[in-house]
Amino acid sequence: MGTIVDLSLELEALPLGQALASTDGLELELEPVVPIGPRTCPFFWLFDRSSQTRRHDRIATFERRVEQTADIDDLVRVGNVENGVLYRVGWCGDGVAFVDAVVDADGAILEATGTSTEWTVRLRFGDSDRIATFQQYCREHGIPIELVRVVDLEHERSAYPATLTSGQAEALMTASRMGYFERPRETTLAEVATSLEVSPQAAGGRIRRGVSNLVADALPIDDDGTSHRSGRNNY
């Protein structure tokens, strides 16, 4: 039925990570990617979680760094929200060993969140043999990965409400238990992240996407027949 793998990855393992280094406050979220062939053109969101002061400068600095990255073919702004920008980027798979490792094992990148320190990545493989192929490729090509969790897709779907991924459910339950949603708050995002053993940016992303999915699932159908459930964030 398939297997889900959660892992952490050094920034340098993906081209965009080089532009994120030493950019505190910025968080990059790749849209789900199924790598096909040597060229991958994903979309990604860049969020600025810090204050609005100098936000334009921070984003402009990130864009300059991306354009100076050798493996990047092009960077195009697609849209904007209050605290973030949606981009389309093209890079050559020949220079991205981690992407090649996923392709070689017939895997898919479901989620990848980058901060100034690391990537947190979620992959899907057809079976455990494919995971072994992926790990072997990483070892042979010197790609340092840290496995966080490996779980069968069947267990992943049955252990939590269908609306949430396991990472989102764990983050929401931990945050609730620690009083993160109380007013005044009884804990900080950093403390929740420490409990989850992830970065504050990753913890915040999981909480935000989880809440978004729960709200979308709970909202009624609009008068025009449009259901908010179609907007789920399943990564």
Side-chain angles (χ1 to χ4, degrees):
M1 185 176 182
T3 304
I4 300 295
V5 175
D6 293 330
L7 57 84
S8 60
L9 191 66
E10 293 182 353
L11 281 177
E12 293 75 14
L14 291 174
L16 293 169
Q18 300 172 19
L20 280 173
S22 301
T23 53
D24 291 339
L26 295 184
E27 179 180 313
L28 188 155
E29 296 180 4
L30 277 177
E31 293 289 311
V33 177
V34 180
I36 300 175
R39 180 180 170 84
T40 302
C41 297
F43 290 84
F44 71 89
W45 285 97
L46 182 71
F47 293 103
D48 190 333
R49 306 299 185 192
S50 55
S51 65
Q52 293 186 4
T53 305
R54 299 182 61 82
R55 174 174 293 168
H56 175 78
D57 292 341
R58 286 190 293 271
I59 292 178
T61 297
F62 169 81
E63 290 179 348
R64 286 196 300 271
R65 290 179 177 178
V66 172
E67 292 169 352
Q68 294 168 0
T69 302
D71 295 322
I72 299 296
D73 287 343
D74 61 297
L75 180 70
V76 179
R77 280 199 183 199
V78 178
N80 298 272
V81 294
E82 180 179 357
N83 66 336
V85 183
L86 176 65
Y87 296 93
R88 186 186 73 244
V89 64
W91 71 60
C92 297
D94 291 342
V96 187
F98 178 77
V99 175
D100 292 340
V102 177
V103 172
D104 188 65
D106 294 327
I109 303 173
L110 300 182
E111 175 181 352
T113 300
T115 67
S116 62
T117 58
E118 66 177 0
W119 290 96
T120 55
V121 183
R122 168 164 292 191
L123 307 175
R124 182 175 62 216
F125 295 99
D127 52 47
S128 57
D129 290 340
R130 295 296 181 181
I131 298 176
T133 299
F134 166 74
Q135 290 178 291
Q136 180 65 24
Y137 191 105
C138 289
R139 284 193 294 270
E140 292 177 352
H141 292 79
I143 307 171
I145 60 173
E146 181 180 348
L147 292 183
V148 176
R149 192 177 69 111
V150 178
V151 62
D152 290 338
L153 187 57
E154 182 176 5
H155 179 270
E156 170 88 359
R157 289 184 175 274
S158 62
Y160 302 101
T163 306
L164 303 175
T165 67
S166 62
Q168 293 165 6
E170 182 185 16
L172 287 172
M173 289 188 294
T174 299
S176 178
R177 185 179 65 251
M178 297 177 65
Y180 181 74
F181 299 114
E182 299 296 328
R183 289 293 181 272
R185 284 179 173 168
E186 299 174 358
T187 189
T188 66
L189 181 60
E191 291 170 331
V192 173
T194 298
S195 181
L196 293 170
E197 297 183 346
V198 299
S199 68
Q201 292 90 341
R206 293 178 189 181
I207 291 171
R208 184 183 65 258
R209 291 189 293 271
V211 170
S212 175
N213 286 345
L214 288 174
V215 170
D217 196 58
L219 288 176
I221 296 175
D222 292 337
D223 292 338
D224 63 0
T226 301
S227 173
H228 294 276
R229 289 175 174 82
S230 62
R232 286 182 183 171
N233 218 333
N234 294 318
Y235 57 95

